[in-house]
Amino acid sequence: MNGMMIFKVALRALLRNKVRSILTALGIIVGIAAVIAVVAIGEGASTSMKAQISSMGDNMLIVFGGSMKKGGVHGGSGGFQTLMSEDGEAMSRDYPELIKAYTPLVRSGGQAIYQENNWATQIQGVTPTFVAVRKWDVASGVFFTDADLRAGARVCVVGQTIVDSLFNGQDPIGETFRVRNIPFKVLGVLSKKGTTSMGQDQDDIIIMPLTTVKRVLRRGSFNNVDQLLFSIYDMGQMAEAKRAMSDLLRQRHRLGPTVEDDFTIIDMTEISDMLTSVSSMMTILMAVVASISLLVGGIGIMNIMLVSVTERTREIGLRMAIGAAPVAILLQFLTEAAVLSTLGGVLGILLGVGGAYTVGDLNKWPIYVTPISVVISFGFSAFVGIFFGFYPALRASRLNPIDCLRYE
Amino acid sequence: MGQEDVWALNGVTLQVKKGEFVAIMGHSGSGKSTLLNVLGCLDVPTSGRYILDGTPVAGMNRAALARVRNQKIGFVFQSFNLLSRTTARENVELPMLYNPTAPRGKALHDRAEYLLEHVGLGDRMLHTPGQLSGGQQQRVAIARALMNNPPLLLADEPTGNLDSHASQEIMHYFRKLNEQGQTIVMVTHETDIAAYAKRKIVMRDGKVLP
């Protein structure tokens, strides 16, 4: 009796009792489907969270000015205007192996007016390298140039929300709108970024040359900026870059060893790690709950297999009488349990994937079915079948053929 | 109350030669079924020897006994013991599935079909037991017993569940098989059935009556 034969015999025995086979596998089907669906939903959430975070920039490191204590009072982020555009330039110059791109950033805001529409929005002043740092390019038109930056030209690029609210969705390129009665010309429209996981609309923004914001909107004479944005070559260099940045800024700001930092460095990977650790904890928790249902499914298989052994006592007796060795009986029942549970596993995977996408569609949740979860579920269902099928199979193989043939 | 030893068989000496057709008779409790179990290698005697087709069977483990049953013995039962919801052909093929030296695939089907034709069920090969009469079911069981071409055919009350017409058919078939050289040992308590055999053995209280 070779493996193929045992498999055929087991399959035939299962097909002879289709309804019972399906009912037996149901526990496994539901358990696997639950695991697959839960993991797919969880992974979808965490993947989209990661995508959102990476959409904020390319391995971004942000330096805020401020948080210096003066006379016991914390100024908070941006409270003191100590951060210079030159700080960032020095950093780029000193660490070319770390810094891929850099832009200083100043923030402003105001009521933008175009024809009969007006819209309050935030305005950021940056350099053209902003495109590289934030991995955010124009979808149409052009970004402003270094020449615009040097000239402090009254030009800008706008986010999609501005197009929708200020320009009624019309193409704004070449149009002029006003902020505080100063006209600005739209050169381009930024590609859509969407809402952050914190609910902030990233597309509700106007980007201008740094010099324009400082001279025209803020009318400042100081050379300070609000933020320095850096893009680091490799994720693994984050810690090194932060340390280098901190040392350089302390040195340039002439802070003594006992003085606190007058800046704050934020690493986007920290936020990303925090968010993903929360979501993966939820996924694990739900997967544990789903696994328990899988265990129950396994016990269901054992229960039905035990009933099946009792019910098929005469069949077992006959098979033994015509020459089935105990090991052949053991393997037959074991194979039946394994086939049942793996088929249940396959159906469960299909059901779980389908269910996850259905739920995802209804709730507009992102879904990501990881190949590893499918492989593990399949392996686990086979294991459940063999583990819980072994005892009934062993019992069947130990039966005495004479008693079996006499069994009513 | 302790257990009492029961001697189902005691001092039985029996020789069945190749080509014989033996009927074992006796009342219930006479030990005839136990004797058949021993002959069929389903049970082993507490003491004594049993030599089947030149092979001493005593002392074999369960796997070895299963192999002997598979290759040297064909069983026919009172209640047919066919697998339900399984075609006649598949039922007949069953012993060969447990025979490692048996052919597979088409040769297996051919052998089963040949035997089913031989027992007169050539047109019922794909019927399941539920679609067959008692006599037909028993003929499927006989075809199954012959599948591995065993030297010994054992029948336990083969007509016990059949009407007299079907009983006669089955017994005619047994006699035909015997004439072709098949050794048959049959247990029965009906004298008219035993009459088909060439030799009768009567048992009482675990002993063979002279």
Side-chain angles (χ1 to χ4, degrees), chain A residues 187-203:
Chain A
L187 295 182
V189 177
L190 289 161
S191 59
K192 197 170 169 63
K193 277 250 179 182
T195 311
T196 66
S197 39
M198 288 83 150
Q200 186 196 350
D201 180 6
Q202 300 183 81
D203 297 313

Side-chain angles (χ1 to χ4, degrees), chain B residues 147-206:
Chain B
M147 191 67 181
N148 278 333
N149 216 351
L152 177 61
L153 183 66
L154 291 178
D156 187 3
E157 305 271 10
T159 58
N161 284 7
L162 300 177
D163 59 40
S164 60
H165 177 72
S167 298
Q168 275 178 20
E169 263 183 18
I170 294 294
M171 291 324 295
H172 278 299
Y173 190 73
F174 270 9
R175 186 178 265 178
K176 195 172 113 191
L177 277 176
N178 179 245
E179 279 159 9
Q180 289 163 356
Q182 179 70 54
T183 314
I184 302 174
V185 175
M186 173 179 75
V187 164
T188 183
H189 62 271
E190 294 171 71
T191 33
D192 53 334
I193 294 300
Y196 284 87
K198 286 181 189 159
R199 177 181 162 201
K200 262 171 270 180
I201 292 169
V202 182
M203 293 196 67
R204 186 177 297 160
D205 301 331

Side-chain angles (χ1 to χ4, degrees), chain A residues 145-154 209 211-212 215-216:
Chain A
T145 60
D146 284 325
D148 294 324
L149 181 71
R150 277 192 299 275
R154 292 170 185 190
T211 43
T212 312
R215 288 179 208 155
V216 179

Side-chain angles (χ1 to χ4, degrees), chain B residues 80-98:
Chain B
F80 324 136
N81 278 329
L82 299 177
L83 295 188
S84 59
R85 278 174 271 178
T86 306
T87 63
R89 194 177 72 183
E90 279 182 88
N91 265 297
V92 174
E93 285 169 358
L94 205 55
M96 271 202 172
L97 298 184
Y98 295 105

